[in-house]
Structures are given as C-alpha cells and as structure tokens.
Amino acid sequence: MVDMAKLNLYLPSKPYKEEYLNVSDLHSLYIAEYGKPDGKPVVVIHGGPGGQTFPDDARFFNPEVYRVILFDQRGSGKSKPAAELEDNTTWALVEDLEKIRKHLQIEKWHLHGGSWGSTLQLAYAQTHPEPVLSMTMRGVFTLRRSELEFFYQGPGTGFLFPDYWEQYEAVIPEEERGDMIEAYYKRLTGPEPERQEAAKAWATYELATCYLKVDPDWIKKILKDGFADRMARIEAHYFVNGGFIREGQLLEKEQIDKIRHIPATIVQGRYDVVCPAKTAWDLHKAWPEAKFILTPKSGHNADEPQNQQALLAAADEYGRL
C-alpha cells in the first residue's frame, strides 16, 4: 500500500555515517547522518521525551543541500541504556546537543522538530542561542501543567477519544485517578508485568490521538521492539518532575528575548489534541517575529498532509539562508 502522506517528501536514503557518542559515564547516544556531508547542518530533535528518530525524518530536507543529523535522546530509540531514567533531564539533553554539535565539528546549525522536539529546541536555543541558524517547531509543547492535564488527566483529549481514554484509564484503580501521571509513573517504575501493561496503555492512547484518523496498523508497527516501555517510562519521569523547568519558563519574556532574533517557523495543526493549538498560540503571542502557520486540516503528526507541506516549505526556505 502506498503511503500517500509521504509522496511529497524527498526520496528515501541510507545514512552515510552511523555512530555512538558517549555523553556521560552512563549514556551513549545513537547518531545517524544523511544527505550531503558538507551541506548545511540541521539537527532533528524527536518527540516524547522517550520517542525516537526514524529514517523518514531525513526526508524533509533536500539531500543536495543539507547535512541531516538524526539522533536518539537519552534512553530512547537505539541509544543505550534503553529506558534509563537516571541522569535523564531536560538540561542533560540540552548539553547533549552541544556535545553532538562539537563532536561533529559544526559551528552553526538549524533546529527542526515537533512536540517534545519543540520543547527541547526552545530550551536549547534559550541556553545556547549563538550556534542556532533557524528553528522549525511543530505541535508546540512547553511542559506547563495545564498542557499535561489536558491530555493525561482530563477533561480534554479523552472527551474526543473516549474509547482510547477508557482503555488508558482502566489501568489505574479509581482511587488513584486523581493524578493519572503519578499513578502511571508508579507502575512504569515498578515490577513486571504491571510495568509493561502500563507502558502499552500509555503509548497506545498517545499514538491513537496523533492523527485526525486513528491508524491501528501504524500503532501496532510503532509499538514493536520496546518502544512503549521507553516512551512511557521517560515521559512519565519528565512529567512528574515538571520537565525539570519552572512552570511557564520557556514562554517568559526574558527567555524569548534570547532567541527573538533567530529565524523561526511554528507549524501547528488546528485539530492537534496531543499538543493543542493554545500552546502554539501563546508562543506566537510571546514571539510574534516567528512565522506562525496554523494548518486548518491537521492533527499532531508531522506527516499530516498540511503539516508536512508547511514543514517541507520551511526546510527549503532555511536551506537558502
């Protein structure tokens, strides 16, 4: 079956280089490079936290223009050790980006990513604005408690996906449902088989709500090879800790002022129920200099057709800088 959503992307390719980079005594990150070795560097920052990169992520960039860096964050994807929570914080990931940049001998680079990938972009650029040439953010997420509760606590996304919400909620006894994130965290850091049951329920709910049209076959495909455990554990770890940042920090004027000069594009699906448009709108108001694109017929994922089109256009535009 032809995946119509991917027809407009650049052709698939294999990485010209793959390696592991030790970023601490514990964590080793998987890195893959695509495109043109002496091209314009762009780093793709995946979602989650606890998600991973996929080869198709490189297909948003003209391989004759860009040097595309894909990497899996701590505990995620092919990085080692898998699902590890120790020494895994937002600020550790921020410094990992700098370690990757310096290891690859890159002076300046473009940033690209969505969902948690937009969060980490903001945190990184506000800490290290000098090497950032541009930022492309899709499905904006800033880790405010209201954003977390809309999706994981309700009422919110569960009102729109009551079937999947019911499966997500059923894992937690009624007396613990006052804080679903905390209740899930308890199980995701607990013994088997409860841990795997919780991981599958958490990840299934999140994946089911990513598209305007639920794709059960895609969900089954993504959930293979330990993905649910990695994503659910790491997300719950970050969320019970408030993302290791101040409430609203990434939207503070003092923080936005540090990046206001950077060319940036915000792409937001109107019907994104994982990271609702209110957050992107708040970022747009705080940072009106950034280009704001509200795609009228899109949900959360990058390959929703209108999201994909806007992201491709942004990558082509920044490839001309």
Side-chain angles (χ1 to χ4, degrees):
M1 182 176 178
V2 176
D3 188 345
M4 300 299 292
K6 291 184 167 58
L7 287 181
N8 293 323
L9 298 178
Y10 289 97
L11 291 175
S13 64
K14 294 182 179 180
Y16 66 80
K17 183 179 180 181
E18 296 177 275
E19 63 179 317
Y20 279 88
L21 176 65
N22 293 327
V23 291
S24 75
D25 292 338
L26 178 60
H27 290 279
S28 181
L29 305 186
Y30 168 76
I31 303 172
E33 296 185 64
Y34 294 76
K36 187 177 179 183
D38 61 348
K40 297 181 178 182
V42 58
V43 60
V44 177
I45 305 175
H46 68 68
Q52 67 183 76
T53 54
F54 296 93
D56 279 342
D57 294 335
R59 296 178 59 194
F60 284 88
F61 308 95
N62 187 335
E64 297 181 0
V65 172
Y66 278 106
R67 175 187 180 187
V68 185
I69 298 104
L70 307 186
F71 78 102
D72 291 334
Q73 298 160 26
R74 294 189 182 203
S76 306
K78 296 179 182 178
S79 292
K80 303 173 184 178
E84 180 58 60
L85 305 183
E86 182 180 343
D87 195 21
N88 196 337
T89 70
T90 301
W91 305 111
L93 301 189
V94 163
E95 294 313 310
D96 286 351
L97 278 161
E98 270 298 271
K99 290 171 184 175
I100 292 169
R101 183 181 69 83
K102 292 175 181 178
H103 171 72
L104 298 179
Q105 299 181 339
I106 293 171
E107 181 180 358
K108 294 178 180 291
W109 56 359
H110 300 271
L111 310 182
H112 180 103
S115 197
W116 162 255
S118 69
T119 320
L120 190 52
Q121 278 191 67
L122 289 166
Y124 171 77
Q126 290 170 4
T127 306
H128 299 286
E130 298 84 6
V132 179
L133 290 169
S134 75
M135 300 171 65
T136 302
M137 294 162 284
R138 185 260 317 154
V140 176
F141 175 49
T142 64
L143 271 170
R144 293 176 297 182
R145 185 67 191 180
S146 59
E147 298 170 45
L148 296 174
E149 290 189 350
F150 180 91
F151 187 75
Y152 293 102
Q153 187 64 42
T157 300
F159 273 29
L160 301 173
F161 290 80
D163 46 349
Y164 285 95
W165 173 266
E166 191 170 283
Q167 295 174 37
Y168 163 77
E169 188 180 49
V171 173
I172 306 301
E174 190 170 351
E175 62 270 18
E176 294 183 55
R177 292 177 186 171
D179 190 334
M180 292 289 286
I181 295 173
E182 180 65 40
Y184 260 95
Y185 177 72
K186 176 183 174 182
R187 287 155 179 81
L188 290 165
T189 54
E192 305 289 5
E194 194 175 44
R195 169 174 161 178
Q196 293 306 318
E197 179 190 18
K200 183 179 179 181
W202 176 291
T204 299
Y205 171 60
E206 185 162 336
L207 294 171
T209 57
C210 280
Y211 286 101
L212 288 177
K213 183 179 179 181
V214 179
D215 186 345
D217 291 337
W218 176 74
I219 295 171
K220 290 178 183 178
K221 179 181 177 181
I222 297 296
L223 289 180
K224 291 180 179 179
D225 303 322
F227 178 88
D229 186 56
R230 294 191 299 271
M231 185 180 75
R233 268 173 58 84
I234 295 172
E235 284 190 336
H237 164 69
Y238 272 71
F239 299 162
V240 297
N241 287 289
F244 306 95
I245 63 174
R246 295 187 304 276
E247 175 73 9
Q249 176 178 337
L250 300 177
L251 294 172
E252 292 171 355
K253 183 179 183 301
E254 180 182 357
Q255 301 302 320
I256 296 295
D257 284 346
K258 296 175 182 178
I259 60 174
R260 201 174 294 280
H261 64 286
I262 298 173
T265 298
I266 301 165
V267 176
Q268 178 65 43
R270 166 72 78 180
Y271 298 109
D272 184 341
V273 297
V274 179
C275 298
K278 174 67 163 62
T279 303
W281 185 254
D282 289 345
L283 178 60
H284 167 57
K285 290 193 296 182
W287 190 8
E289 295 85 357
K291 183 182 295 185
F292 180 70
I293 301 171
L294 189 63
T295 54
K297 297 180 181 179
S298 294
H300 182 65
N301 265 27
D303 54 2
E304 293 272 16
Q306 291 182 343
N307 285 346
Q308 182 192 96
Q309 182 180 4
L311 293 169
L312 282 163
D316 286 346
E317 176 186 350
Y318 293 136
R320 294 189 289 269
L321 289 181

